[in-house]
Amino acid sequence: DAGSSVEEMEFNWDEYLEDTGATAAPHGSFKHVDTSLQNGFAPGMKLEVAVKSDQNTYWVATIITTCGQLLLLRYDGYGEDRKADFWCDILTADLHPIGWCEQNNKILKVPEGIKDKIPDQEEFLQRVLKGACSAPANLLEGLHRGKNPLDLIAPGSRLELQNIRDSLEAWIVTVVDNVGGRLKLRYEGLEDLDKFDQWLFYLDPFLHQVGWAAQHGYSLQPPSAIRSLRSEADWQEILKKVKEEEEESSVPTDLFKDKPVIGVHSFSEGMKLEAVDPMAPFLISPATVLKVFNDKYFLIEMDDLRAERVSSQRYVCHLNSAGIFPVQWSLKNGLHLSPPPGYPGQDFDWADYLKQCGAEAAPQSCFPSLTSDHGFKENMKLEAVNPVDPEEVCVATVTKLKDSYLWLQLEGSKKPVLECIVSVESMNIFPVGWCETNGYQLRPPRKAIVNKQKKIAVVQPEKQILSSRTVHDGLKNQELNSSDSVVINVKYCCPKIYFNHRCFSGPYLNKGRIAELPQSVGPGNCVLVLKEVLTLLINAAYKPSRVLRELQLDEEAAWHGHGETLKAKYKGKSYRATVEVVRTADRVADFCRKTCIKLECCPNLFGPQMVLDKCSENCSVLTKTKYTHYYGKRKNKRIGRPPGGHSNLEVAMKKPNKRRKRRKHFFVHKKKRSSTSVDNTPAGSPQGSGAEEEDDQDESELSHSLAQDRDKRKRKLRTFSFSDDENKPPSPKDIKMEVAEKLQLDSNPLEWSVADVVRFLKSTDCAPLARIFLDQEIDGQALLLLTLPTVQECMDLKLGPAIKLCHHIERVKLAFYQQFAN
């Protein structure tokens, strides 16, 4: 009914860090996360590549660097010469592992450019391939081609997990879920019984590919905790089934190449030490080496002096296990050591305790040296697994540091948790934003909850009665009390929105960041789901503020949806704008498509339809110019004119004041707040000390300058423009060039060779840059696709020379459209 309302939970890391005055722990401090983001290819790996000049022949190339699904390669034989380096897309290029040509009767032939350097091909190949590491075959061919290796650990994959109480035993586990490399595992044979599920990062030393136990002489049997749930015959049948299905459920062994190597320990049975109990990682207590399995593993037990104790806390350790320390470590570091249960008195003394037990302390040499070089500092924020409830990942604050250990305060956990102790190398801690990137629910601090009254219940003829749990699942960021019952209109329930990562991402969105987005969002309330989708897109942009501006409401346009305030952060500045989203499910598909076109990306980049194989729009062949031809964006644009051509400057010249006024009203720079301040300013109102968004200032200055220069433009055609209007135009004082006469071309630039391009540049005042074009093999087609940001980033040019160069490129583009486009 009309009175129904819920509490909306909204958490934004940027705002939270700004409000608390805290900083995020550096991403580089989370080595396991960095490893998980690698694409499986590494510099130095070799592969066989089709030769450009002759697609029927191949040659060996070495990977120079990687960038997402792109590889920078160099043919072997060029040595240190970079001029022939070239980029390849794993998904589309003709790439193969070493040995593929021989197996498939293909020709290995030296490219023409280095033929004179390699007189004996066979001898050369023997030399360069000796001891070489081939690029992984499974990532170059078949179903796994171009995939992130981490994606190969899919639900249903099988691994082997060592027993935490007996390292000489292992049992098969099935992957239930994979969240950025953090795996939810279920023991094989338990089917839907989730009571014994475990969460482990895929690089955990106790996790292995199927077949590991047999190779290393360890027994394969279920742990004692679950053994009684099935008969011995059942377990053997399960094992037989796993072996039959091993090939289809196996995980490539390459995934585990970066696992920490377990060294040889020197512990002996009966030695005493200090340890953090994994079952209650809040205290440090005395412990004993109970058993030594072999030179790699030993069993420790938390000391308990109570005569009536029923069970004991035991777990397997190895040389590099976190949470084990020498005797007196707590005392030396000013920390409290909790006496074992049953110990008389509170003043624990190690000397008396060792004498009383008749035991010796494990010597310092048994323990690895601890480091303080890790990048963490007190009050830094991060995301951490709740040790009491591993399903939860919470906002965490570093409250204390000792050597290579952190004391973390978890915020927002369902049940209050004491400060937990973790190693800086723990695989249960993650950088700020990790949950959002991987589509996992982060438990925010309770104080970060924003209370808003929002009606979500509407009674209509097509209404449906849903339980409070169903509504909670559907509406994601909203919470209901268990006693609530809600009436919700199904037409306001948004379908699942898919991100189709391989589709054309256009000029605004970073393809690498798009690839890191979750596969889907929703289902749920239309407004909430679409708001989340747009927020993810803004954060995946080259310039988030620019995409926010593209999405913002146009006050002159018809408004039929729901206004939502979205935010963006760019170069330390915060921006926000009101964006229209639709409220009903029947309009979602059209909204997604129109938003895609507004952002000049594939119309299927996101939407309620998943692109399974090939996009129906054939967007893989699109360039920015072709995109505008097919879908259009701005009115009255000639077919084929590249976005951001000289006509845009004319529009800016004609209506500079109106545009400035509208942006000032809708798109504002948010003043940085202190930790005690409260932002009550309504969305869309100016904030700060009169400071406008810097892009607007410069655009206004440029428009003013152009208006003053109107008479000159009547006599001469000004062809300079910014090829990508996402980039900030410089102020007039930075532009010091003479207006050029209209260019007349003798040949179609689409057909220009690299030499033709170089010849043209040498005829301009950018002649010194011709060498770069020659080195990077930029022909006429590539020349017409160059934009200001591309020139700056790929050619490493400063703004002045880059603008001067783009001026000449725009002259060529204009001449092309006038002389050859038809």
Side-chain angles (χ1 to χ4, degrees), residues 654-763:
K654 290 174 184 175
K655 299 182 181 180
N657 296 331
K658 188 170 184 179
R659 185 179 183 187
R660 169 77 180 267
K661 182 178 180 180
R662 183 164 69 252
R663 286 199 174 168
K664 182 177 180 180
H665 179 70
F666 278 96
F667 193 83
V668 294
H669 172 206
K670 190 167 75 176
K671 184 171 72 175
K672 187 174 181 67
R673 291 170 288 172
S674 67
S675 57
T676 57
S677 68
V678 179
D679 178 18
N680 294 319
T681 313
S685 58
Q687 298 179 24
S689 54
E692 294 296 321
E693 203 255 320
E694 59 186 45
D695 286 2
D696 293 337
Q697 289 180 340
D698 291 335
E699 287 177 19
S700 179
E701 290 175 20
L702 182 62
S703 299
H704 180 65
S705 172
L706 291 173
Q708 289 180 330
D709 199 35
R710 186 169 294 144
D711 291 337
K712 285 186 180 180
R713 278 197 307 278
K714 288 180 181 179
R715 295 189 300 269
K716 296 181 180 180
L717 177 64
R718 181 180 176 89
T719 58
F720 171 79
S721 70
F722 295 96
S723 298
D724 187 340
D725 60 5
E726 176 182 332
N727 290 275
K728 180 181 70 176
S731 58
K733 63 184 178 182
D734 296 325
I735 304 175
K736 297 178 181 178
M737 63 173 67
E738 294 297 324
V739 179
E741 294 294 338
K742 184 168 70 173
L743 186 66
Q744 288 292 329
L745 300 177
D746 296 328
S747 60
N748 189 338
L750 277 179
E751 300 169 357
W752 283 4
S753 65
V754 176
D756 293 330
V757 172
V758 170
R759 195 175 300 113
F760 167 74
L761 284 173
K762 285 185 175 180
S763 69

Side-chain angles (χ1 to χ4, degrees), residues 508-509 530-531 533-539 541 544-554 562 564 566-568 577-581 591-592 594-601 606 633 666-667:
Y508 299 130
L509 302 176
L530 294 176
K531 182 179 179 182
V533 167
L534 295 180
T535 299
L536 289 172
L537 288 173
I538 290 169
N539 293 335
S545 57
R546 185 71 183 95
V547 168
L548 181 59
R549 182 185 298 160
E550 288 295 316
L551 296 175
Q552 73 179 350
L553 270 173
D554 186 343
H562 177 88
E564 279 289 322
L566 296 184
K567 300 166 187 176
T578 303
V579 175
E580 180 184 5
V581 294
F591 171 82
C592 292
K594 287 181 177 177
T595 304
C596 286
I597 292 174
K598 188 182 290 186
L599 296 179
E600 298 188 44
C601 58
F606 65 93
K633 184 185 177 188
F666 278 96
F667 193 83

Side-chain angles (χ1 to χ4, degrees), residues 168 256 273 301 305 313 315 349 415 479 493 551 557 575 616 705 745 765 768:
L168 300 182
F256 301 99
L273 64 155
E301 179 181 59
L305 306 180
Q313 294 294 347
Y315 58 98
D349 182 81
K415 297 177 181 177
E479 284 192 347
C493 187
L551 296 175
Y575 306 94
S616 60
S705 172
L745 300 177
D765 56 355

Side-chain angles (χ1 to χ4, degrees), residues 139-159:
L139 297 180
L140 288 172
E141 301 168 341
L143 296 174
H144 298 159
R145 182 179 180 184
K147 284 190 175 180
N148 186 314
L150 206 57
D151 295 336
L152 303 183
I153 311 179
S157 301
R158 291 192 176 106
L159 298 165

Side-chain angles (χ1 to χ4, degrees), residues 352-540:
D352 290 344
Y353 185 62
L354 290 173
K355 188 175 181 180
Q356 177 185 337
C357 297
E360 62 171 321
Q364 179 73 45
S365 59
C366 289
F367 300 87
S369 57
L370 301 178
T371 175
S372 57
D373 182 22
H374 44 66
F376 291 100
K377 295 179 181 178
E378 284 189 14
N379 296 319
M380 278 185 171
K381 302 287 184 180
L382 58 145
E383 298 175 5
V385 174
N386 184 349
V388 176
D389 182 3
E391 290 272 355
E392 277 191 356
V393 180
C394 304
V395 169
T397 306
V398 179
T399 58
K400 185 162 50 183
L401 297 99
K402 294 294 179 183
D403 292 328
S404 55
Y405 285 85
L406 310 174
W407 273 250
L408 298 179
Q409 178 63 57
L410 304 184
E411 306 171 37
S413 55
K414 293 177 184 175
K415 297 177 181 177
V417 181
L418 298 173
E419 287 181 344
C420 56
I421 306 168
V422 300
S423 164
V424 294
E425 296 182 349
S426 169
M427 297 184 193
N428 282 329
I429 58 175
F430 303 95
V432 161
W434 183 86
C435 280
E436 183 179 2
T437 299
N438 292 284
Y440 196 77
Q441 178 64 52
L442 174 71
R443 293 292 303 180
R446 288 187 178 85
K447 62 185 177 182
I449 296 177
V450 179
N451 293 318
K452 293 182 181 179
Q453 298 297 314
K454 178 170 283 192
K455 297 176 183 177
I456 62 164
V458 181
V459 179
Q460 294 287 348
E462 63 269 47
K463 70 185 179 183
Q464 215 178 22
I465 304 296
L466 303 178
S467 68
S468 61
R469 189 71 256 165
T470 305
V471 174
H472 176 274
D473 292 340
L475 300 187
K476 300 197 75 163
N477 292 333
Q478 303 200 22
E479 284 192 347
L480 298 171
N481 296 323
S482 57
S483 60
D484 291 341
S485 61
V486 177
V487 179
I488 186 167
N489 186 347
V490 292
K491 80 173 185 178
Y492 291 94
C493 187
C494 182
K496 188 177 287 189
I497 303 297
Y498 295 95
F499 290 102
N500 300 309
H501 302 118
R502 294 184 181 180
C503 285
F504 177 66
S505 57
Y508 299 130
L509 302 176
N510 184 316
K511 190 170 183 65
R513 293 177 191 163
I514 289 290
E516 294 171 1
L517 295 181
Q519 188 178 42
S520 63
V521 174
N525 176 275
C526 279
V527 172
L528 296 180
V529 170
L530 294 176
K531 182 179 179 182
E532 182 174 352
V533 167
L534 295 180
T535 299
L536 289 172
L537 288 173
I538 290 169
N539 293 335

